[in-house]
Amino acid sequence: MSTDAPDSSTPTEAPIKLSAVEKIKQESNYLMGTIDQELKDPVDHFNNDNLQLLKFHGSYQQDDRDLRVKLKKSGGGKAYSMMLRCRIPGGRLTSDQLVAHLDMCDELGNSTLKITTRQTLQLHGILKSDLREVIKRVNECGLSTLAACGDVNRNIMCCPAKRVGAIHSQLEQFTDELTTALAPQTPAYHELWITDPDTGEKTLADGGEPTPSNNPVIDEPLYGPTYLPRKFKVGIALPEDNCIDIYTQDLGFIAVVRDEKIIGYNVTVGGGMGRTPSAKKTFPALAKRMAFVTPEQAIDVAKAVIIVQRDNGNRSDRKVARLKYLIANWGIERFRSEVESVFGEKLADCTEDDVHGFDDHMGWQAQGDGKWSYGLNVENGRLYDNEKIQFKTAFRKICAEFNREIRFTGHQSIIFCDIEESEKDRLIEIIQEHGIPTTEQTSTVRRWSMSCVALPTCGLAITESERRLPSLIDSIEEPLAKLGLSNERFTIRMTGCPNGCARPYNADLALVGRAVGKYTLFTGGGWLGNRMAEIYKDAVKDDEVVDEMIGLFAAFKANREGEESFGDFCSRVGVEKLAELAEAAPRP
């Protein structure tokens, strides 16, 4: 399969006007920019061009929006800091790696650590002057931040369940091989963060990034000098366990299993959650099924998909630059044909295998080797210590006593692996000693909810999300119990803006920031993740959200058919009828 860009001498249509970000990438010398110079500058923030390049290195610049007004009144600037995201394929890491991040968040961050919706970790509150030290320490513990953000393939999601046997072993191996195959090759990351800035000497054993020679030849055979038009996300799932939301990914691989072995994958393309309500040309989309590939074909087909997007995605308007827009414009048949052309041969059609189950991997689960894993619900993924709950202290103790493998889920929670039968009570004891509700003590609705970070650090947030969802769940737990729906499983997802980082648009029920103090309510998706939700009501005031939700639950209780799920019910009746039923239903 060729990964070369098209011959620039070939006659083409008139050149399009590139977006500003495309020009920055084009002139960046393969992501180097002037970051090195700015790191030496005592100013507390980076310039706009380098901010775009830093994303590829795993970092976003933010400021504490809670302090903006106060600082402005006092004549000061913004309270700048950096967010740093790791690349942790499939959410798998060691106890030592988790402890290293807990150390960094205390010593060089704002003392909280965030498990993300893509099975990785985010450090917040890092000062610009400490950024090099933090990235160095991430690499020292055997991880990396390269390609955790930016216009490249990001952290690859995969079912985090630890199971003995060929199936999960194949999934994990494929995840690791695909991560390596789709990684950027620029030496800029190594030169900026892995070598001594004064001597140029390598200072640590890095997380597997390309090491430049004395006279490196920069070559990005997969991405080219301007990388992709927009971010790119990959996920790997099992039909019976779509815990990573395969249909929201730009590129997905659904394992096809026969006789306890993966014989190939059904490939999906074109998922993506972001939208801009004021721009009608934007929309969220679920991926489309494209073709079946064998394990031997899978990596080269993944590269072919990326190359087609690289060479044909919109580079003039970033709002419509994701793969989903190219597929919407072309249609899946043309897209598949282009992928086959790059790949070099025809692909087989998808098998009948599709997602039909979802396991959040919470609570005790047998690994198949006589040992157990324990999935602990972490509300919205935030790890912190306060007078009531001490996540960080508890996790340090667990890591010290057990020193076992750790895994993160796509719902921002944590799995402790390789627990002996005789150790189960001790693990729960440590969790409870530190005020943390066990998964068994967590309500079903809270367990199946999640949010994005939003305020105060996300620059795109319009409304609250992570700081609002817990109290919102508090308000609906009792009404759900009175309706007899405490054990009903449905997803509630909340985001502070329409970009959809918590994957709201395929949830049973979602709240998406619309304007200050107002949300758009979506209904009719589902916990399985293969159906889009619809707008139920727009611009709902924050203090009216709970009442609207209770009305929906009451309508569901009074009008559901058989054992249909909440999302199925909302989809069946439609948003107009749903509003009528919610108005008429008796409230608890």
Side-chain angles (χ1 to χ4, degrees):
M1 183 191 71
S2 171
T3 57
D4 294 333
D7 185 348
S8 60
S9 66
T10 303
T12 60
E13 298 177 4
I16 61 171
K17 183 179 180 181
L18 298 177
S19 70
V21 175
E22 288 301 313
K23 188 174 181 182
I24 291 169
K25 290 186 288 184
Q26 195 171 55
E27 298 174 354
S28 73
N29 188 25
Y30 292 87
L31 309 181
M32 178 64 77
T34 58
I35 296 171
D36 191 39
Q37 294 93 301
E38 280 217 79
L39 285 168
K40 299 172 184 176
D41 193 318
V43 175
D44 64 357
H45 59 280
F46 291 91
N47 69 43
N48 289 334
D49 285 8
N50 283 332
L51 287 184
Q52 296 299 328
L53 302 179
L54 280 163
K55 295 176 184 179
F56 293 81
H57 299 267
S59 187
Y60 283 80
Q61 182 169 284
Q62 302 176 330
D63 74 286
D64 189 333
R65 293 171 62 179
D66 287 346
L67 298 178
R68 282 184 182 179
V69 173
K70 179 181 178 181
L71 290 172
K72 187 174 182 180
K73 286 181 179 179
S74 65
K78 295 180 178 179
Y80 287 109
S81 65
M82 307 300 293
M83 179 274 279
L84 189 69
R85 183 182 298 153
C86 281
R87 192 181 68 202
I88 307 175
R92 290 174 279 122
L93 72 166
T94 66
S95 285
D96 288 345
Q97 288 170 333
L98 177 58
V99 170
H101 278 78
L102 292 170
D103 289 344
M104 285 184 278
C105 85
D106 283 341
E107 298 166 16
L108 296 165
N110 67 358
S111 292
T112 67
L113 191 62
K114 176 84 171 179
I115 304 172
T116 78
T117 59
R118 293 195 65 79
Q119 300 180 283
T120 185
L121 289 169
Q122 286 183 180
L123 291 155
H124 290 262
I126 302 166
L127 298 180
K128 175 193 168 194
S129 57
D130 290 327
L131 185 60
R132 177 174 267 144
E133 174 65 16
V134 178
I135 296 180
K136 171 188 170 184
R137 286 172 63 168
V138 168
N139 279 266
E140 282 177 332
C141 73
L143 295 173
S144 176
T145 65
L146 176 65
C149 322
D151 298 342
V152 285
N153 170 59
R154 299 188 178 187
N155 195 52
I156 296 178
M157 298 184 73
C158 180
C159 173
K162 185 155 191 182
R163 298 287 185 272
V164 172
I167 294 173
H168 281 82
S169 177
Q170 283 181 267
L171 288 180
E172 292 169 17
Q173 182 178 349
F174 180 39
T175 302
D176 293 342
E177 290 174 350
L178 196 57
T179 295
T180 299
L182 304 186
Q185 298 300 302
T186 175
Y189 184 86
H190 192 283
E191 292 175 359
L192 283 168
W193 315 110
I194 313 302
T195 57
D196 185 288
D198 298 316
T199 67
E201 294 292 323
K202 183 175 178 179
T203 59
L204 53 99
D206 62 74
E209 308 311 337
T211 304
S213 63
N214 291 331
N215 295 293
V217 176
I218 297 178
D219 184 22
E220 289 281 14
L222 179 60
Y223 291 112
T226 52
Y227 298 85
L228 295 180
R230 203 65 169 84
K231 58 188 175 183
F232 195 89
K233 300 178 179 181
V234 177
I236 304 167
L238 288 163
E240 68 273 18
D241 186 9
N242 185 28
C243 62
I244 57 90
D245 258 342
I246 196 78
Y247 281 102
T248 66
Q249 315 284 341
D250 292 86
L251 173 61
F253 293 89
I254 302 173
V256 176
V257 179
R258 301 289 185 267
D259 298 323
E260 296 300 312
K261 183 179 179 181
I262 296 174
I263 64 165
Y265 302 89
N266 286 331
V267 178
T268 61
V269 290
M273 291 283 97
R275 65 187 284 264
T276 304
S278 60
K280 300 297 183 184
K281 61 188 174 181
T282 68
F283 50 82
L286 295 182
K288 299 180 183 299
R289 289 160 64 86
M290 185 184 76
F292 170 83
V293 299
T294 66
E296 294 74 25
Q297 294 174 319
I299 288 178
D300 281 344
V301 169
K303 289 181 177 180
V305 169
I306 284 176
I307 289 167
V308 173
Q309 163 66 350
R310 179 196 73 189
D311 295 344
N312 298 281
N314 192 317
R315 291 185 182 268
S316 62
D317 185 351
R318 287 179 66 80
K319 288 187 186 303
V320 290
R322 290 285 294 273
L323 178 62
K324 62 184 177 181
Y325 297 109
L326 178 62
I327 292 174
N329 291 334
W330 278 7
I332 188 63
E333 292 304 324
R334 178 182 171 187
F335 183 81
R336 172 175 167 169
S337 177
E338 293 289 338
V339 169
E340 290 172 333
S341 178
V342 174
F343 177 63
E345 60 183 272
K346 291 286 186 181
L347 298 173
D349 291 339
C350 288
T351 69
E352 72 281 2
D353 302 79
D354 202 353
V355 297
H356 57 81
F358 188 137
D359 185 348
D360 67 351
H361 304 295
M362 293 293 95
W364 289 111
Q365 296 193 345
Q367 295 181 177
D369 57 358
K371 298 179 182 179
W372 296 81
S373 68
Y374 184 75
L376 179 67
N377 181 77
V378 178
E379 190 166 22
N380 302 318
R382 181 70 64 180
L383 304 182
Y384 59 89
D385 280 3
N386 62 25
E387 64 279 2
K388 293 182 179 180
I389 297 176
Q390 298 86 44
F391 279 108
K392 295 189 298 178
T393 302
F395 289 1
R396 286 180 185 279
K397 193 164 189 176
I398 290 169
C399 289
E401 277 198 33
F402 292 87
N403 193 26
R404 310 291 162 74
E405 186 176 14
I406 304 288
R407 299 191 176 195
F408 299 136
T409 76
H411 263 220
Q412 303 172 290
S413 289
I414 192 167
I415 302 173
F416 299 104
C417 301
D418 302 320
I419 307 300
E420 301 282 357
E421 179 74 32
S422 60
E423 298 172 322
K424 291 169 72 174
D425 289 345
R426 177 55 182 156
L427 180 69
I428 297 300
E429 183 180 40
I430 295 173
I431 291 168
Q432 293 181 324
E433 281 176 351
H434 293 86
I436 303 169
T438 64
T439 292
E440 293 75 15
Q441 295 169 327
T442 304
S443 68
T444 303
V445 65
R446 195 177 299 273
R447 173 171 161 176
W448 285 83
S449 68
M450 68 175 180
S451 73
C452 68
V453 174
L455 298 170
T457 53
C458 178
L460 300 175
I462 306 166
T463 58
E464 294 284 0
S465 179
E466 182 186 330
R467 297 193 298 194
R468 177 68 175 100
L469 186 56
S471 61
L472 191 153
I473 299 295
D474 290 342
S475 299
I476 63 175
E477 283 177 324
E478 185 177 344
L480 283 169
K482 289 181 177 179
L483 288 166
L485 298 174
S486 291
N487 296 322
E488 197 68 34
R489 178 172 65 171
F490 53 86
T491 47
I492 293 181
R493 295 175 181 172
M494 190 174 194
T495 63
C497 82
N499 277 345
C501 291
R503 303 189 294 274
Y505 302 116
N506 65 337
D508 291 89
L509 177 61
L511 298 91
V512 176
R514 182 70 169 88
V516 177
K518 295 181 180 180
Y519 298 87
T520 303
L521 267 62
F522 289 80
T523 59
W527 55 267
L528 192 53
N530 60 352
R531 182 176 59 225
M532 292 294 290
E534 296 182 82
I535 294 177
Y536 171 64
K537 288 190 179 180
D538 198 16
V540 179
K541 293 180 180 179
D542 182 272
D543 58 6
E544 298 173 354
V545 164
V546 170
D547 187 63
E548 290 286 355
M549 294 173 70
I550 293 172
L552 289 169
F553 301 142
F556 171 55
K557 175 66 175 180
N559 299 279
R560 74 188 298 188
E561 293 183 354
E563 296 300 314
E564 72 179 340
S565 69
F566 178 72
D568 288 348
F569 162 73
C570 293
S571 179
R572 174 176 62 82
V573 303
V575 292
E576 291 185 12
K577 182 66 174 177
L578 187 57
E580 295 176 18
L581 295 175
E583 184 71 26
R587 304 296 178 96

